[in-house]
Amino acid sequence: MEAIVCEGLTKKQKQLTTLKEVSFSIPENTIVGVVGRNGAGKTTLLKILAGLWRASAGNVHVLGENPFNSLYVSTNTIYISNEMVLPNSLSLSVLLTEAGRFYPRWNDDLARRLVEYFGFRGNDLYTQLSTGKRNTFNAIIGLSSRCPITIFDEPTTGMDQAVRNDFYRALLKDYLQVPRTILLSSHHLEEVEELLEAVLLLDRGKKQLYLPMDDVKHEAVGLTGRTEMVYTYTQAKTVFYRESIGMDTTYTVIKANQVDMEKAKQLGIQVTPVSASDFCVYLTRAGKGAIDDVFQ
Amino acid sequence: MLLDTSGMKPIYIQIAEWIEAEILNGNFLPHDKVYSQYTLADMFTINPATAAKGLKLLAEENILYSKRGLGKFVTPEAKEIIMDKRKNQTLKQLLEDVVVEAEQLKVDEQELMQLLQATIAKRKGRK
């Protein structure tokens, strides 16, 4: 069954169109990464899916219903972001108790174990926490709610590396125990890619790519070789990125299924894999030019 | 085992090869139950769908068989299939790489054979 279906989803905010006819569907109980550059529309999309914002046009179905103003969807969905507002008059311990009253599948035992593991004290106040700590606490609420639709919007902002690794591992372990549909937006695809079943890449409000993770890793390859050779070889092929290295060497990223390994080898061209996160960067480069051009 | 996430080799193939190594080492015997996709996911912190793909690959190669609802088990001929596969694919590929490299370095056939024999002799001496 599909947990989330979007057809031609469009969002207009004042004069800006922040989402342009985005269509995709996410099967139940999968972990999907939502990636893209700053301002690509990740948060807008996630907020619409969580029912916080209304779509301007197109269809959105979450658990079979339009999420906006749906009590059913909001009971079964949690949206975790670094903009969460929690009352300052309640201690962390009380906040967990109150969160538990909202979510029918809340696991209080898990919440309190995580809170203890990550070094919180029950009587701490939320607003006195550092950004990283606050996001860790948010993430604990997100995991413990065990909502059938769990949305993490850049959950690891400010977390140190150790906490990030622990959070990803906790997410996977709890997902294995209680499978649910998880959306995870991140600027660090390389950190989360092993957890993901599929990745949705947004670019300036449009869906740039939505593929199983394994396919993304094998969409493109990098060719390194003498400039002339590389240019000749890549003629009439889909080039995603080109960069010259040194005097007479060019690095070119092209579609993997257009490369004949044997032929490339014969031409003295080295073929290397392109990581999913680099590939996404190449796909969403803004127009032409690079940072180096600024300094010319 | 640590997964090589930057390499050319997909994770699910690395998982399949890791199970193959376990079978070759005798850690899994014929008719033993191997790890489920969920156990593998937990062990390597990967998506269970990726682990399932690795298991499916081994089932297609007759290295594992499924018992409905019980999981995947090692076939009696698993070890033989794996050895055969490594000989015919991995070893041949490695040899091909050696020959290509030798060509580029202008190492002729005779010299290459001598190098190979010397390597074999060296390993024998060590044993």
Side-chain angles (χ1 to χ4, degrees), chain A residues 7-37:
Chain A
E7 284 157 354
L9 170 60
T10 298
K11 176 72 180 170
K12 291 195 173 117
Q13 288 164 298
K14 294 184 183 152
Q15 287 99 328
L16 271 179
T17 306
T18 46
L19 284 177
K20 282 171 216 158
E21 294 182 28
V22 175
S23 301
F24 64 92
S25 63
I26 296 176
E28 190 175 50
N29 300 339
T30 49
I31 309 180
V32 174
V34 179
V35 296
R37 308 188 48 181

Side-chain angles (χ1 to χ4, degrees), chain B residues 88-105:
Chain B
N88 282 318
Q89 292 171 13
T90 319
L91 194 58
K92 270 188 189 160
Q93 184 57 54
L94 285 171
L95 285 172
E96 201 175 315
D97 288 349
V98 170
V99 173
V100 171
E101 183 73 14
E103 272 170 19
Q104 279 176 1
L105 297 172

